[in-house]
Amino acid sequence: MSDHDTSLRTPIVAVLGHVDHGKTSLLDKIRGSAVSEGEAGAITQHIGATAVPLETIADMAGDLVAVDDFDLPGLLFIDTPGHHSFSTLRSRGGALADIAILVVDVNDGFQPQTEEALDILQRTGTPFVVAANKADTTPGWNPNENSPIKPSYDGQSDTARQRLDENLYEIIGQLSDDGFSADLYWRVQNFQKNIGVVPCSALTGEGVPDVLAVLMGLSQRFMKAEMEIDVEGPGEGTVLEVKDEQGFGATLDVVVYDGTIQEGDQLVVGGINEPIVTEIRALLQPQPNAEIRVENRFERVDAVAAAAGVKIAAPDLDEAMAGAPVRVVRDRDVDDVIADVKAELAEIEVDTEEEGVVVKADTLGSLEAMANALQEAEVPILRAEVGDVAPRDIAVAGTAREPEHTVILGFNVDVLPDAERELEQSEVTLFNDDVIYQLVEDYEEHVAEMQRAQQETILDKIVRPARFQILDDHTFRQSDPAVVGVEVMSGTINNNTNVAKFDNNEPDRVGELSGIQAQGDDVEEARAGERVSVAIDGPTVGRQIEEGDELWIELPEKHAKILEQELNDEIPADELEALSGYLNKRRKRDPFWGK
């Protein structure tokens, strides 16, 4: 066997950013500009990716990129912004993308998904450039179609430049808050230490040459070693998506980042339960001209070499997972390859508990990112899987012992139709979002809401503290029941509660409060500061109680404990005052009462 050639593969570029900041339009612009340069044939569509060769980049970037300065073959853009979770796809423990563009709307600054993308870039250590998009919307801006940004920027009026600068420095400041040192890219000396911010417009094409130039420069300088691959070695890749295709059944959209994949190769893919071993029936690429009928959307190819996007048709792929590793076996022992795939999947094992929430995510990488976020928020996970919400997820979530765990958190997933019906009939709550920390926030708010509701129910059932005084000359009836006028000093008095009088810090029950009247009308309760007449079953005025006496609502010890320890924040200040007065008296005799 000849010594295998090593060659430099194309760097894989991910485009990340908040939902309407222009990820898709920037990609479309890069593709479109190349087409208008008469280079239509040069750009090739792959499954889920677009390959832009170096010559085309040099043509589009003008003086910014000279072909002779580079030996990397170009750039492969992952063009599935719908996988915002692409940022969470991985290869061998790192991010699948070698390099990234973070698109930020220059007027809108950082948004939740921007922060999330940065978080993932930071965690995976992926180099990136910030495309400060929509620079052309700056008031007073004079567009220069497809121009590099510096001459266009220098040619603007002072006020337009000033306005744009304010927005750019806002972005640079936000990057700094997140721990990144950044500057306008033409001022950056060392791209390893500083992030370059490139003002651009996906609409006018201004600054797009610069984005391409910075990406090429970063790749050439810092990633050349990592781009060296064994061209003829067995292919390795990551599943972007598992899709049913007419005539093929379940297929895999895969990005190949090493070696070559050929029709007929034996393949090992990460599956929901076990790695799947299968044989490639067909490798499919999009047809080069887009006008053809849908049935022939794909053409078959014999082999693809890294880096490339390709659709793989093979038997038994139903249980394959998005984000899982794909390995060609070729001349290795199939058990070794299965062990490799298992080891890579084991890196993503999520720690699960006996009790917790159910988590579903669209890819393994996003499942891992979800698990990290939940761990930080101290939310236990009972089960975590890749895939849409299915009936069994609802069954599992429904068995939780704690009400706050009867929850499914779904990241970027759908609910299967039969699960929809079950969800409606179950106690299970589903949260579904494509921003991870939005999901965590929604869940935390849900738990807080449940706790509030729970405390309100407890409060309704608990005897509330109160201190009140019998007014002089306000005895309306001496006994059976005694009816007297009182002033509520602190707390709230309610009907059907026991009344006590302290004698030497020992409460002596004198009777039961059986009625309250305010201005001649029956009422349920009276609060601090109110004067009302009350009926007390049991005592006689002049014997057990006297005018001028201070009376208390008698608190059961268990209720006093709950009020002091759990509901302290829920009750008004005057009730707290009544509670501490009552506890002080009781604890003078028994220091541990109510503790």
Side-chain angles (χ1 to χ4, degrees), residues 246 248 287 292-298:
Q246 223 175 343
F248 294 107
Q287 285 277 21
I292 36 163
R293 292 200 316 283
V294 172
E295 298 87 276
N296 309 335
R297 280 198 308 221
F298 306 114

Side-chain angles (χ1 to χ4, degrees), residues 53-73:
L54 177 60
E55 288 70 27
T56 309
I57 290 173
D59 285 350
M60 287 163 66
D63 300 341
L64 298 177
V65 173
V67 173
D68 301 345
D69 295 345
F70 296 92
D71 41 17
L72 289 170

Side-chain angles (χ1 to χ4, degrees), residues 556-566 583 593-595:
E557 184 168 13
K558 188 175 163 194
H559 292 203
K561 184 176 180 175
I562 292 174
L563 282 163
E564 184 181 33
Q565 292 175 11
E566 292 174 32
L583 290 172
W593 193 87
K595 286 193 170 174

Side-chain angles (χ1 to χ4, degrees), residues 81-112:
H83 288 77
H84 128 225
S85 60
F86 180 75
S87 50
T88 63
L89 284 167
R90 33 181 299 151
S91 70
R92 295 208 214 88
L96 173 53
D98 302 300
I99 190 166
I101 307 175
L102 180 61
V103 182
V104 183
D105 178 334
V106 76
N107 305 299
D108 204 13
F110 277 30
Q111 296 300 317

